[in-house]
Amino acid sequence: MFCFLRPVRRLCLEKVSPRWFFCSRAFSGAEAVNALRPFYFAVHPDFFGQHPKEREVNENSLQKLSVYLENLQKPGSKSLKPTQLTFYVRETDQNSSDGQEPFSTLGFRAVKFTLHTRDLLSTVLYILNSCSLSVEHVQSLNSNVRPQPPKEAKRMSDRPIKWDKSYYSFTGFRDPDEDLEHVSKMETTLTSWLGSNGKRAIKKLENSLPLRKELDRLKDELSHQLQLSDIRWQRSWGLAHRCSQLHSLGRLAQQNLETLKNAKGCTVIFTDRSGISAVGHVMLGTMDVHHHWTKLFERLPSYFDLQRRLMLLEKQISHLLGDIQVVYIEELQPVLTLDEYYSLLDVFYKRLLKNRVPFHPQSLRGLQMILNSDRYAPSLHELGHFNIPTLCDLANLKWFILTRAQQARENMKRKDELKVIEDELIQASTKKFSLEKFYKEPSVSSKQMVDCCKRLLGQSLPYLQGMHLCVSHFYSVMQDGDLCIPWNWKNGEAIK
């Protein structure tokens, strides 16, 4: 009687899959990446520069997706555990809000789904469908596609089939409801998740120790050789990737040492594109060749001159606005080059000169503002600084700042007090759990970190001894053994 189960199961999938799905050959890894291009375009972190929380969520979800896709191509992939993912999806020409959570006024929406697929093709289709993206282009990537589906597929009812538990017991297929329930429990319970993943994290951490020592050695040697202030990374690349980047910089230093010494006293950041950042850091694009890096180091003296002019421009704007300090906050603003940031300030300064807005001298001293290129109205951030669009109405700007100046001072005072408490709790947590390293992702606020640490200190968590612990927005074991936990963890379900 069970000989009909496989055909029926195949026909049930016709509801969510294209007609050619069941007649196509195996999908390759390269084809999967190509088919997911619209998805990557809709969720790429670079498009969320002004939304650090959403950018961080997408970065981490893409890492988990990458691991899932890699494991699908390995032997034994049928035993893969379901993986919950959350993405902030930008509005594009391909997607719409039909049947989905509508796009916010900022132009993106949150999409959550759980992968429990068995092959690359069904995974690609599931991801695209979950994000309301077209799957038509996937057909052109597969060479053995028949134009028509099996005739009997057209006669299937639209009613979803709920299989009896005996079906999964007999066929060996995994019950998706059972898997989802298991994943939910595993991902929302701190102690059980640590118990299940602690040994795996320890093994990865132990395996990464030689690379960690190598990374520290390379970083120290290059910092000393080039007299750098610091070497950092914009993204959460693995240790092997970071060591490779430092080796590449080291080879360039051997060839052009005097040129690279132009960066004396600077901070070097490995990132997605080469240039000088808005705060004067030397950005080395990881996809650029040595020639591009060399040209950048050669031009550093001219960039230093531009940086001096930028600082003067900031002071001039500050003087016109009651001595409010103009700042650039890396964690909260899009990544801008020095040229881009100077242009932004210059546009705003010229508007101030043309439309004089009288502020009492020094009336806003001690307050801070950041400039952005949005066309939205000005706002006051919870951390105490003002968000000022370059093209805002200057007449209304004066009223807005003056009526919220006291609130801004209170917010800044509360921020400073919270930072002191946060540092104390981080030290206490590090000591209690004997952590090797305890840190947070940039998208986790001080308030969230304080809440997380206070509750951690009330727990007994022997799994954490000697570990690298990162406070994030979800659970994850990073490739080099760092443990990520959500800031809003709880022994039951996560706090909403």
Side-chain angles (χ1 to χ4, degrees), residues 368 383 410-419:
Q368 295 180 336
L383 298 180
E410 293 174 3
N411 288 3
M412 293 183 69
K413 181 181 179 182
R414 186 161 55 248
K415 176 193 69 175
D416 294 338
E417 294 172 346
L418 201 59
K419 188 67 174 71

Side-chain angles (χ1 to χ4, degrees), residues 250-314:
R251 288 191 296 271
L252 184 60
Q254 291 177 353
Q255 301 165 5
N256 300 279
L257 181 58
E258 291 305 314
T259 300
L260 267 63
K261 281 187 175 180
N262 284 336
K264 178 181 177 180
C266 294
T267 293
V268 168
I269 300 181
F270 289 97
T271 181
D272 297 324
R273 59 172 175 166
S274 296
I276 303 299
S277 75
V279 292
H281 297 330
V282 179
M283 301 190 300
L284 299 180
T286 57
M287 300 301 292
D288 291 337
V289 296
H290 279 182
H291 173 72
H292 293 144
W293 288 6
T294 302
K295 288 295 183 182
L296 175 62
F297 282 105
E298 289 176 348
R299 295 174 57 194
L300 282 182
S302 63
Y303 279 118
F304 294 152
D305 179 64
L306 178 61
Q307 190 174 21
R308 287 189 287 270
R309 288 190 284 130
L310 184 144
M311 294 172 64
L312 177 60
L313 194 55
E314 287 179 333

Side-chain angles (χ1 to χ4, degrees), residues 200-210 212 436 465-468 479-482:
R200 182 162 63 99
I202 290 174
K203 184 177 180 180
K204 287 188 174 185
L205 184 60
E206 290 175 347
N207 292 338
S208 74
L209 291 180
R212 292 182 188 275
E436 183 67 24
Q465 184 174 353
M467 299 303 295
H468 290 231
Q479 63 188 63
D480 296 308
D482 289 36

